[in-house]
Amino acid sequence: MSGAESFVPTPLMLSDSARARLKALIEEEGNAELKLRVYVTGGGCSGFQYGFDFADEVAEDDTLIPFGDVALVVDPLSYQYLVGSTVDFEEGLAGARFLVQNPNATTTCGCGASFMV
């Protein structure tokens, strides 16, 4: 009989393309302290919408999620909606953008920028 294994879930994942783009943006800004803040706000066609911003400061109640040489920051209100999600980056005919692949979303809009749980 083997012992119990512990499993610590990662609150958010970061795709390779998002990590590469984030690293390039940080290098362009010339500030190695920058992190990508991912947040959720009310609004959008499906109820909530995702937002992204650079953060060079982390509040006491923020969750900092490091991925090697880059990191994500999430505020406590947004955290509950983002657990288990993957932050991705895509480039296409419509442009380039960060996006969230959220397994907790029951409905999303066509562009993927808003969701409902």
Side-chain angles (χ1 to χ4, degrees):
M1 188 173 220
S2 65
E5 293 182 31
S6 64
F7 173 73
V8 179
T10 303
L12 272 138
M13 296 301 296
L14 187 66
S15 72
D16 290 340
S17 61
R19 183 176 175 178
R21 182 62 179 152
L22 181 55
K23 186 175 179 179
L25 289 170
I26 290 169
E27 288 173 0
E28 285 176 24
E29 290 294 319
N31 181 354
E33 298 301 311
L34 289 177
K35 295 146 189 65
L36 183 64
R37 180 174 292 281
V38 183
Y39 59 92
V40 172
T41 60
C45 50
S46 292
F48 294 103
Q49 61 187 0
Y50 302 110
F52 302 94
D53 197 4
F54 273 128
D56 54 2
E57 294 184 19
V58 178
E60 189 175 304
D61 60 348
D62 282 340
T63 299
L64 177 66
I65 308 163
F67 293 94
D69 48 358
V70 298
L72 299 177
V73 177
V74 182
D75 65 86
L77 182 62
S78 299
Y79 183 89
Q80 62 187 326
Y81 297 108
L82 295 170
V83 169
S85 297
T86 299
V87 175
D88 198 5
F89 179 78
E90 69 177 15
E91 291 184 87
L93 295 174
R97 66 183 178 143
F98 285 101
L99 62 124
V100 175
Q101 297 169 354
N102 189 340
N104 305 308
T106 57
T107 306
T108 60
C109 68
C111 68
S114 67
F115 69 102
M116 182 181 296
V117 289

